[in-house]
Amino acid sequence: MAKQGSTLRGMTETVSSAISTGLAHGVPLVTFVRQFADLRFEPSGLTDDPEIPRATSIIDYVVRRLALDFLPVEDRAALGVLTPLERAEAATEPTPAPPAWSDTPGMPMFVPFEIPVQAAG
């Protein structure tokens, strides 16, 4: 990473500032993780982090690290951001029902509702 150009460095700093500003203004971390996890561009590949052995980009690594440090395992499981140990444990457990997704913990993003229908008179 040390030999990467100033363009990549500038873009990385810009995205980092945008994420930091968003978090400071109340944007939930899950929103950033959902948006930027698995984002693919170079440099990518193996890391020195045993909890995130492979990253598809610098931004992918950063949001996964933030998720591992600050989100509960239930939210991370819904996002697909688990450590290798958590993945191994999940593989031995029975498959749970998929969680309802939301930016607000405990509130589903898609809530079913009924549309009132007026009968033709």
Side-chain angles (χ1 to χ4, degrees):
M1 171 84 192
K3 300 243 179 201
Q4 299 302 323
S6 62
T7 302
L8 180 60
R9 180 177 178 184
M11 290 300 294
T12 303
E13 288 179 10
T14 301
V15 171
S16 298
S17 294
I19 290 172
S20 179
T21 302
L23 292 171
H25 287 277
V27 177
L29 178 58
V30 295
T31 300
F32 290 111
V33 176
R34 188 174 43 231
Q35 186 68 35
F36 295 126
D38 297 320
L39 188 65
R40 293 181 181 273
F41 60 88
E42 294 297 325
S44 65
L46 300 176
T47 73
D48 291 334
D49 188 337
E51 292 186 318
I52 308 170
R54 178 175 291 277
T56 58
S57 67
I58 297 167
I59 303 304
D60 174 57
Y61 176 80
V62 169
V63 297
R64 287 176 184 277
R65 181 77 263 160
L66 289 170
L68 289 173
D69 289 346
F70 298 107
L71 292 178
V73 70
E74 297 82 20
D75 288 349
R76 291 189 292 109
L79 292 164
V81 179
L82 298 171
T83 65
L85 180 60
E86 291 168 339
R87 285 188 191 285
E89 290 172 358
T92 61
E93 296 175 3
T95 306
W101 238 121
S102 173
D103 284 342
T104 305
M107 180 179 285
M109 180 180 281
F110 301 104
V111 178
F113 63 95
E114 292 185 26
I115 299 173
V117 178
Q118 296 179 355

